[in-house]
Amino acid sequence: MSDTLIEVQSSGPNSDGYQEFDLGGFHFRRDEYFAHITWPTGGHVMSVDTFLRALQRDIAWDFFYGTVNFDHVFGTVNHYGTVDMFAGRFNDAYRKAELDHSENYETPLIRETFKAMLDDWTNEGFDPFASPAETDKPFGVKNGSNTDAVTRRRVTASRMVGVPGDEKIRTDATHTINRMFADVSQDAPEVHAEPGFEDEVAAFNLFAYLSRSDVTWNPSVVSVCKNSLYCPTTEEYILPVVHGNDRVEWFVQLSDEIVWDVQDRDSGSARAKVTMKAGDVAAMPSDIRHQGYSPKRSMLLVWENASPEIPEMIRTGKASVYAVDF
Ligand code: PHB
Ligand code: FE
């Protein structure tokens, strides 16, 4: 209901055919190649390709856990009810020059503004969730739209994929097997539940399920146990955001390989380069930002603790920034 009352500030098509948007002191304009962002004390330019891929994920994940950096200058911080939009806040040079700028909005206002901008700025044939090898380019003057792609429903199981009434298992009828996962076995486990437990016992082949994913860098919830969420995803090319954590995240590399650039969350200075091969497990600390590079389509399990109390527990020292202290 409340979303229908939100007034998105946009102005009619510019000379390239795109709407321009205002949110607080920030102004957004796109041309054939770039997103131009200005705020009261500065401005920034990004490739519209990177910008739309990041914008798509920020919306689909409802601003995610902690910080979503679109690049080294622009991004959002989720306060779970309100969202900060910032420029230069996590960039040492901007901070030292006192050029950083940050504004806070009620989540529905920034959500609706971002959704309107993504829909208007995405041309026919461009899918911000697809790997660059599997979509047209985003560039050029305004040319149609791709509303079905940019509003696709995110998989969020309430118990587990395959449980009666929950997210469905994928089949040939609903999802094709990705070109890079043609060798993934499509076997399915047999389930023999005791009478009366048919709704409680379920199993599915996660590799087969992921081989049929048509999106990249988009963790979806496939199982839930209280605050413990299994969020596997298929990766190819570069994670289009640099995620700044507000909690520890576990990664289990299920296939192939991803290289992670790990930096200090606040300053961006280098912390580590982590190469994860199939079978490797890593726990990313809660005071870092990270961006992954996947040379081939790979399967990654992101394991999240969704407890709303964690950011405060870390701030007050009740929880460590590390998953394990050696
Ligand atoms: C992350 O920031 O931890 C993340 C985001 C998207 C992915 C994988 C990992 O696809
Ligand atoms: Fe992350």
Side-chain angles (χ1 to χ4, degrees):
M1 266 299 276
S2 66
D3 284 1
T4 59
L5 303 173
I6 305 296
E7 261 205 52
V8 173
Q9 302 289 318
S10 66
S11 57
N14 62 22
S15 55
D16 289 315
Y18 297 103
Q19 307 256 353
E20 302 194 6
F21 294 87
D22 288 287
L23 182 54
F26 284 89
H27 181 77
F28 297 86
R29 171 173 73 85
R30 98 152 264 189
D31 60 20
E32 291 195 47
Y33 284 115
F34 300 108
H36 302 263
I37 309 167
T38 55
W39 57 93
T41 53
H44 187 53
V45 185
M46 290 182 64
S47 166
V48 81
D49 182 62
T50 320
F51 182 81
L52 292 176
R53 290 174 188 282
L55 186 64
Q56 170 73 83
R57 286 162 180 82
D58 215 9
I59 295 166
W61 307 341
D62 211 26
F63 305 99
F64 210 34
Y65 300 104
T67 307
V68 171
N69 297 284
F70 285 40
D71 67 358
H72 58 297
V73 174
F74 179 78
T76 58
V77 182
N78 196 356
H79 298 293
Y80 311 97
T82 68
V83 174
D84 294 342
M85 187 158 71
F86 63 81
R89 174 158 156 199
F90 299 104
N91 179 308
D92 247 7
Y94 275 75
R95 293 286 283 221
K96 284 190 182 124
E98 296 182 5
L99 282 174
D100 56 300
H101 184 75
S102 189
E103 296 182 11
N104 180 263
Y105 315 100
E106 297 292 325
T107 301
L109 176 62
I110 179 168
R111 184 195 290 131
E112 291 310 306
T113 305
F114 275 16
K115 279 163 71 176
M117 183 155 51
L118 178 67
D119 191 43
D120 187 73
W121 288 12
T122 301
N123 286 323
E124 186 182 339
F126 177 64
D127 179 352
F129 266 133
S131 94
E134 294 183 340
T135 180
D136 288 346
K137 296 193 167 37
F139 305 120
V141 297
K142 172 91 174 153
N143 171 31
S145 58
N146 199 359
T147 302
D148 284 350
V150 301
T151 58
R152 51 156 87 68
R153 202 182 62 84
R154 186 181 179 211
V155 171
T156 49
S158 40
R159 288 195 292 168
M160 191 182 79
V161 166
V163 168
D166 212 324
E167 291 286 350
K168 301 272 173 295
I169 286 174
R170 294 171 175 155
T171 65
D172 281 343
T174 59
H175 297 77
T176 56
I177 299 170
N178 185 266
R179 74 200 194 289
M180 287 201 188
F181 291 142
D183 58 344
V184 172
S185 163
Q186 298 295 315
D187 293 354
E190 284 179 29
V191 177
H192 303 278
E194 288 290 319
F197 290 89
E198 292 85 353
D199 285 358
E200 306 299 329
V201 185
F204 72 108
N205 178 344
L206 178 62
F207 286 88
Y209 183 82
L210 292 175
S211 74
R212 296 174 183 275
S213 165
D214 65 343
V215 292
T216 59
W217 304 105
N218 186 30
S220 51
V221 183
V222 301
S223 72
V224 180
C225 181
K226 297 190 177 164
N227 280 317
S228 170
L229 310 185
Y230 265 13
C231 310
T233 153
T234 53
E235 320 297 47
E236 189 176 327
Y237 191 52
I238 303 175
L239 172 58
V241 307
V242 187
H243 179 220
N245 289 13
D246 67 3
R247 65 198 65 217
V248 168
E249 274 178 326
W250 288 83
F251 289 163
V252 182
Q253 190 69 39
L254 298 178
S255 85
D256 301 275
E257 185 172 313
I258 297 178
V259 176
W260 289 95
D261 254 337
V262 183
Q263 304 170 336
D264 180 80
R265 183 189 58 201
D266 298 331
S267 72
S269 65
R271 283 267 300 261
K273 182 84 88 173
V274 181
T275 301
M276 295 189 66
K277 296 176 190 288
D280 286 348
V281 178
M284 294 280 168
S286 63
D287 60 352
I288 57 99
R289 68 175 87 166
H290 50 203
Q291 183 170 39
Y293 298 76
S294 187
K296 288 204 170 288
R297 203 176 190 89
S298 68
M299 297 181 184
L300 171 70
L301 175 60
V302 180
W303 182 24
E304 297 282 0
N305 183 334
S307 165
E309 277 144 40
I310 290 183
E312 183 61 17
M313 287 172 73
I314 291 170
R315 244 194 318 277
T316 55
K318 280 208 192 94
S320 167
V321 296
Y322 300 111
V324 186
D325 281 306
F326 293 105

